[in-house]
Amino acid sequence: MAEVLVLVEHTDGEPKKVTAELLTLARTLGEPSAVFLGGPGTYAKAKDYLAQYGAAKVYLVESEDIADHVAAPAAEVLSKLVADTSPVAVLAAATPDSREIAARTAARTDSGLIWDATALTADLTATQGIFGGSTIVSSKVTKGTPVVVVRPNSTAPEAAPSTPAETPVDITISDAAKGAKIVDRVVEAKSGRPDLTEAQVVVSGGRGLGAAEHFALVEKLADTLGAAVGASRAATDAGWYPHQNQVGQTGKTVSPQLYIAVGISGAIQHRAGMQTSKNIVAVNKDPEAPIFEFADYGIVGDLFNVVPQLTDEIQKHKAG
Amino acid sequence: MNIVVTVKQVPDTWAEKKLDASDKTVDRKSVDNVMNEMDEYGVEEALKIKEAHGGEVTVVTMGPDKAVETIRKALSMGADKAVHLSDESLHGSDALSTSAALAKVISTLSPDIVITSSEASDARGGVMGALLAERLGLPQLTQARKVTVDPGAGKVSVERLADNGYALVEASLPAVVGVVEKINQPRYPSFKGIMAAKKKPLTKLSAADAGLDAGSVGLPAAASTVLEAQPAPPRQSGTIVKDEGDGGAKVASYLAAQKLI
Ligand SMILES: Cc1cc2nc3c(=O)[nH]c(=O)nc-3n(C[C@H](O)[C@H](O)[C@H](O)COP(=O)(O)OP(=O)(O)OC[C@H]3O[C@@H](n4cnc5c(N)ncnc54)[C@H](O)[C@@H]3O)c2cc1C
């Protein structure tokens, strides 16, 4: 069976859930080969996970050249693997880093690129929601090796234990690819909550909260639901919440089972990042707020009354 | 500093965007078109670098004739000159061939720094910075929320947005920088700026002028194709309830009914 290259999404070796989703998807297209690119000593943390989700092979590069430079070295490795293995497709996650690596790989291998796919059939027809999800297109790569960037939460991950053959990739990263050097990493927002793009439930707060300290209401609700916390741009611009948590056109795109918008009007740029959520719940005191046009369930009311009550009721529900 | 900034004309953010029924490319005729909002941040950053270090800002765009409106806007914000790559044969180009065409034009300008924004609101690929870096063989400093240029040392560094913070990334000039919208507050064109823009140099290039091979651009050369396009099924209209003191409890019952809790 032909190989499908899956670019492993991970943080210092810790695999992200979308990796399992991509491997599951890859199994419907051919034989999944995980491509693990990371810093020295990071693979150990991913090894069992890749086996659990059915990687038949793992191509491996652990080096500072990869970890300490932006996109180009990873694209060099992936392009070499495309040339060496002639895969049916390359799958990568729709995260900022991986989409850049995917794009460069497509350019280097003279291949077509599809981004933000939410489904992919065995004949490599991709489904994408474009224009903020208002139009659904099916598209296909017509040149080279299809490079497909897939949205997190598009495929339900299914375990399929395997014993992958590990193949270190024999490559020397070119100097040209090492032009952009990462000299420091600064952690600003460590919350212990689920990753925003992968969470099954997201609770987001907007300008309606009125002050940074009122985000505690959103966090408390999020924690009773095991949810990630998001924010509108108005809230991040005001400095109430870290901008890494911004949801929308210029923030993260999320597609959880449940999205709760608290004090958010539902501007088109916000909508672009959350409207594929399965269930949208809104709390807003303005009955005319655009968010009610696409919410599945909405409460017109003051968030300072509604949200604490909701948190209590969920706690009671869980206890009862 | 020789600063190049790319801009794109796109359908207005609030316009109802569609694909053209005949060739399934973005319909740019039936809607108002504006400068991609994100690109205003790119232009602003280019102007800031010029103000801090001197030099010249050249705007580069590829697009139909009317994209000249977007060039005018950048010039009226304060850019010095512009290059407009415009040719019927470019219609339908995908991100890959667009990046190759833009790179070809940009390389003739011998820039010290090339600035792009993180994405255009029509296609939302978010890949142009990476592709230009690849095509031009320059360091890629994308997802930048802060840019510091040191022309004396020939260096540039950026704060690259990461999942839980940022990475400090350094490179030698020339380099490609892609900016996110947290980076600055774009200025509005002043009346004086608008008047001055009319006299600023604008070079219009055809595909042939730019030395582009006819087979490498446009819809026929695109490396992917749209097979089918359909309006998304409308969302079922939701239940909207006024809070009568039991709003929170009502949401909880809804969540329970949907088996979400
Ligand atoms: C280039 C560009 C990119 C952008 N990208 C993004 C993006 O990625 N994400 C994003 O979110 N926005 C983005 N925006 C901004 C977007 O246009 C809106 O300005 C923003 O989403 C508004 O945030 P908000 O809903 O929190 O604030 P507002 O629009 O001010 O809404 C606040 C809401 O809170 C309600 N409210 C107030 N008090 C209460 C209360 N006590 N109880 C209940 N409800 C209350 C109000 O009725 C109102 O509806 C972008 C804009 C541009 C130009």
Side-chain angles (χ1 to χ4, degrees), chain A residues 13-25:
Chain A
E14 211 64 71
K16 297 225 183 176
K17 192 178 93 203
V18 66
T19 298
E21 297 169 9
L22 294 179
L23 286 169
T24 304
L25 181 60

Side-chain angles (χ1 to χ4, degrees), chain A residues 39-247:
Chain A
T42 50
Y43 172 62
K45 278 180 254 171
K47 188 180 158 89
D48 292 347
Y49 192 87
L50 301 179
Q52 189 190 344
Y53 286 98
K57 278 190 198 142
V58 179
Y59 294 107
L60 194 58
V61 180
E62 288 177 286
S63 94
E64 265 138 22
D65 287 348
I66 297 278
D68 294 346
H69 299 92
V70 178
E76 238 174 50
V77 179
L78 208 47
S79 302
K80 177 181 158 55
L81 286 171
V82 169
D84 291 354
T85 68
S86 309
V88 277
V90 177
L91 306 184
T95 59
D97 285 5
S98 288
R99 73 198 290 132
E100 291 183 338
I101 295 166
R104 296 186 69 131
T105 302
R108 293 179 76 94
T109 60
D110 207 10
S111 295
L113 172 70
I114 286 175
W115 56 73
D116 294 331
T118 52
L120 193 60
T121 60
D123 75 342
L124 297 166
T125 303
T127 305
Q128 297 162 283
I130 59 165
F131 304 147
S134 66
T135 301
I136 308 294
V137 303
S138 51
S139 48
K140 217 170 167 168
V141 165
T142 50
K143 197 174 168 193
T145 302
V147 179
V148 185
V149 173
V150 183
R151 281 257 180 92
N153 281 349
S154 298
T155 311
E158 282 166 34
S162 63
T163 318
E166 290 163 13
T167 313
V169 183
D170 182 18
I171 188 168
T172 309
I173 302 297
S174 73
D175 285 341
K178 292 187 276 188
K181 186 166 170 47
I182 298 170
V183 293
D184 196 11
R185 283 194 172 82
V186 180
V187 173
E188 291 179 318
K190 216 176 161 107
S191 67
R193 294 193 179 85
D195 188 288
L196 195 50
T197 49
E198 308 210 319
Q200 289 302 308
V201 183
V202 174
V203 184
S204 289
R207 199 192 319 260
L209 285 164
E213 59 268 28
H214 296 151
F215 254 91
L217 287 175
V218 169
E219 290 186 329
K220 199 160 170 222
L221 174 56
D223 291 343
T224 51
L225 289 162
V229 174
S232 72
R233 179 171 171 201
T236 61
D237 276 1
W240 299 346
Y241 222 68
H243 61 226
Q244 289 82 3
N245 296 65
Q246 182 171 315
V247 171

Side-chain angles (χ1 to χ4, degrees), chain A residues 207 232-233 246-247 250 263 265 269-270 284-285 302-303:
Chain A
R207 199 192 319 260
S232 72
R233 179 171 171 201
Q246 182 171 315
V247 171
T250 48
S265 63
Q269 296 95 344
H270 187 78
N284 195 306
K285 68 178 181 189
D302 191 329
L303 70 91

Side-chain angles (χ1 to χ4, degrees), chain A residues 29-40:
Chain A
L29 311 174
E31 193 176 75
S33 297
V35 180
F36 182 92
L37 309 176

Side-chain angles (χ1 to χ4, degrees), chain B residues 185-197:
Chain B
Q185 192 53 54
R187 67 195 68 186
Y188 289 105
S190 65
F191 180 70
K192 224 175 106 199
I194 293 169
M195 296 314 288

Side-chain angles (χ1 to χ4, degrees), chain B residues 117-137:
Chain B
S117 70
S118 51
E119 71 172 33
S121 61
D122 53 355
R124 301 203 59 202
V127 293
M128 197 48 72
L131 286 174
L132 287 178
E134 175 69 43
R135 304 284 192 202
L136 292 163

Side-chain angles (χ1 to χ4, degrees), chain A residues 253-279:
Chain A
T253 299
V254 301
S255 196
Q257 285 297 323
L258 171 63
Y259 186 88
I260 305 184
V262 175
I264 291 177
S265 63
I268 198 162
Q269 296 95 344
H270 187 78
R271 189 173 173 169
M274 46 65 76
Q275 72 172 359
T276 56
S277 306
K278 308 292 174 298
N279 286 276

